[in-house]
Amino acid sequence: MQRKPVVLILTSSDERGGAAENLAAAIRADGEFNTVVLDESEYGRRPLFGRTAAVAFGADKRRLLASGAASAGRLLKKGGRQGKLYGRNRRVANALKRYAPEYVLTVTPYAQAAFVEAKRRSGADVRSVHSVQAFVLPEEEHPAYAADMYLVENADIKEALVSRGIPSKHVVVTGLPFDAPEVTPIEMEEGKQELGLPRTPTVFVNADGRDAVEIMGLLADQGDIINIVCYAEDVKLLAALRAKADNAETRSNIVLLTRRDMFDEYLLMSDIVVTRYEPVIIYKCFKAGKPVIAFAKTAAATRNLDYLAERKLIMKASSDIDVVALIYKFMQTDTASEYVKNGRERTAMFSTANTANYLAAHLGG
């Protein structure tokens, strides 16, 4: 029995939202390819663990992305070599030999940069696809310009890549590789009942550190007008949120969520989502029909949120106190339905299955 060709998917620990596994599952389901997913724990610079691994990863990421601009366009032809293979480059090159992939798919800047460097140094001849996980072309993704195909969320990123010399036919608008079901009013009512949520509007808060504590405190001060679900991703944050909740006048309308496997279920049963900039959360909200209030902590996040806010896809909060005013704006006007409509229309034609079908049609053997 002849084995199916393989797609090698490279990711790294800074990926959020499971893009690599989502694409791997869709590609396998399409039926033409098998998939292998590797992160830098398997191909990285050195096999380290714990805090040391995080420090090494950060240093290697900065070096790779800083040098990417100079090296992105200088891939060697088949059979060429440049420098000695060692460490990460050797492990990536060995993976290419072992799996003989039909093509390599990368979902983070680090993964793409690592592949570009290993390919250049080993002289490997394999096609690559880079999935851009953003709404605006990241300024630091210079190594991505050495890919053979790009999967992007929108036509503006495509135009930005074309302006950098990438042929238009090599950039495909596929949306982001995150799916979520559209939830009907009846499903909302039944789902809230199953989760024990009251009928009052539920606000889902996805934040960290001081922002999570401050936002939950501001929402708790609104009394029983709204119900609050706040996700705590670590023990320290959970303790701070519990202390804030215990001092609230109405404790019964606050849910502190600690299980990641319940994250999407509560998200889908919420009426409004407040989140730090995370493309996966925002994109899922578009698909599920959830109005989004988002805030930024970095320049890159600000650029993305400004882009989305200008198109009335999300509302951007400039400070924690802004969140409350924006929630009431969604609750008291028809604004929420306008934003929900915009998000659904933006994502209606995209899915991971459609992306897998496209890759099979254009990159199949």
Side-chain angles (χ1 to χ4, degrees), residues 15 27 32 53 75 89 129 141 192 273 280 292:
E15 176 204 333
I27 290 170
E32 184 166 337
L75 297 183
N89 294 330
V129 179
E141 283 202 11
K192 283 187 174 184
V273 175
V280 55
V292 177

Side-chain angles (χ1 to χ4, degrees), residues 231-250:
Y231 175 65
E233 60 185 0
D234 58 54
V235 174
K236 184 177 180 181
L237 177 57
L238 178 61
L241 292 174
R242 278 179 175 161
K244 181 69 73 170
D246 289 342
N247 292 326
E249 182 177 342
T250 307

